Amino acid sequence: MLNMQTVGETMIVSLDRDLDMVEAKNFKDTVDTFLLLNPQIKILQIDLADVSFIDSSGLGAIIGRYKNISLRQGSLVITNASDNVRRILEMAGLKKLLETKKAKKEVL
Amino acid sequence: MKDNYVKLTFAAIGENVATSRMVLSSLLAGYDLSLSALDELKIALSEAVSNSIIHGYGEDASQMVTVEFTIADDILTLAVIDQGVGIADIKQAMEPTFSTRPEHMGLGFVFMDSFMDSLEVTSTLGHGTTVLMKRNLKSEQLFNADAV
């Protein structure tokens, strides 16, 4: 399941499934629709605390959303990635999108 | 560990990418693999199966993908077989960042190649593609990486 919350200009998307081709499509469709309806959103925060697996479909979906939010001069940040997921994101050159310090999972 | 062989045939739907990963995880349960090593094997399999479903079959759910899992003398062999459209230029398809679709990064083959000891792709246009990947489960880097 995909959980979304907005705080001002920030949209927080929390994922809790393996980010493969199925969840990547779900994530992409949901976020794109939401962004389209909410032009005030400038920061897309993707919380991966409950994601233990990501493959190139998941990486592609994140990059696609990064491109979309950049088009409106916004930014994307990935929070709470596990060591395993973080390693794959770094291999794919997405290190700059990772939160520098692993934040504690926010209590929402 | 005992040698083992499993042949899994499933409909070409995205949900079965996870099915194939689950079978792999349970076959490897007896090996003391590090989390990152297990993750690498799961990613390599996930990439090959996703390619068959997305590129081979264009997500046509009436088509079937077969994965053969073989463990012999601690060497894991994964064969991912489809009877889809095939790949016109395997060399080009395997280049990093080559992709036929905008949201895809072209990282699939890069991951398969990086995470496995060997990768062989055979394909015939109109007849399908077979991806054969091997990894030595006893090789040193698979052990204790998480324990350090």
Side-chain angles (χ1 to χ4, degrees):
Chain A
M1 282 298 292
L2 197 148
N3 189 283
M4 289 195 298
Q5 189 184 25
T6 57
V7 183
E9 291 188 336
T10 304
M11 173 188 181
I12 303 165
V13 188
S14 307
L15 298 158
D16 66 356
R17 288 193 185 161
D18 285 3
L19 201 40
D20 64 8
M21 62 175 280
V22 175
E23 195 61 7
K25 186 176 185 308
N26 184 22
F27 166 71
K28 168 182 178 292
D29 293 347
T30 313
V31 171
D32 283 358
T33 306
F34 193 87
L35 285 178
L36 204 63
L37 297 171
N38 294 275
Q40 82 280 8
I41 301 294
K42 291 282 191 277
I43 300 167
L44 180 56
Q45 181 182 331
I46 304 173
D47 192 288
L48 298 182
D50 297 319
V51 173
S52 56
F53 178 87
I54 187 167
D55 65 12
S56 70
S57 300
L59 294 168
I62 291 176
I63 299 225
R65 310 296 68 69
Y66 170 67
K67 286 180 182 162
N68 286 358
I69 198 87
S70 297
L71 284 176
R72 58 170 78 173
Q73 277 77 50
S75 60
L76 184 150
V77 62
I78 298 168
T79 52
N80 299 308
S82 68
D83 290 345
N84 247 2
V85 168
R86 178 172 285 261
R87 192 169 68 97
I88 303 303
L89 290 165
E90 287 177 358
M91 276 184 76
L94 302 186
K95 192 173 182 174
K96 65 174 181 175
L97 301 182
L98 284 162
E99 207 182 23
T100 44
K101 202 177 171 189
K102 208 172 169 182
K104 281 183 185 172
K105 191 182 176 186
E106 284 177 47
V107 181
L108 300 172
Chain B
M1 288 290 294
K2 266 189 192 169
D3 289 355
N4 201 349
Y5 172 80
V6 171
K7 183 175 179 177
L8 182 71
T9 298
F10 49 83
I13 59 170
E15 284 72 6
N16 282 332
V17 183
T19 311
S20 68
R21 286 198 302 273
M22 275 185 266
V23 172
L24 177 64
S25 296
S26 81
L27 279 171
L28 297 176
Y31 280 88
D32 186 24
L33 300 181
S34 68
L35 274 182
S36 53
L38 181 61
D39 195 48
E40 290 179 0
L41 295 168
K42 281 161 66 181
I43 291 173
L45 177 63
S46 205
E47 300 298 345
V49 173
S50 300
N51 276 353
S52 286
I53 294 172
I54 298 169
H55 303 290
Y57 290 133
E59 299 190 53
D60 176 353
S62 69
Q63 302 296 320
M64 305 297 265
V65 179
T66 295
V67 181
E68 291 185 298
F69 306 82
T70 308
I71 298 174
D73 298 329
D74 298 318
I75 306 278
L76 170 72
T77 304
L78 301 172
V80 179
I81 304 151
D82 70 61
Q83 281 79 44
V85 295
I87 302 169
D89 185 340
I90 294 175
K91 205 176 156 212
Q92 183 194 38
M94 292 175 75
E95 278 171 17
T97 74
F98 173 80
S99 179
T100 53
R101 300 180 188 218
E103 286 265 324
H104 292 237
M105 297 180 68
L107 274 176
F109 277 119
V110 176
F111 282 161
M112 289 182 241
D113 199 33
S114 317
F115 296 154
M116 303 299 288
D117 296 332
S118 73
L119 168 66
E120 244 174 78
V121 184
T122 49
S123 190
T124 312
L125 271 185
H127 288 88
T129 301
T130 296
V131 172
L132 197 69
M133 305 180 276
K134 291 176 192 279
R135 184 149 167 186
N136 187 343
L137 299 173
K138 284 280 187 204
S139 67
E140 256 180 73
Q141 74 243 42
L142 289 177
F143 286 94
N144 302 321
D146 295 330
V148 181

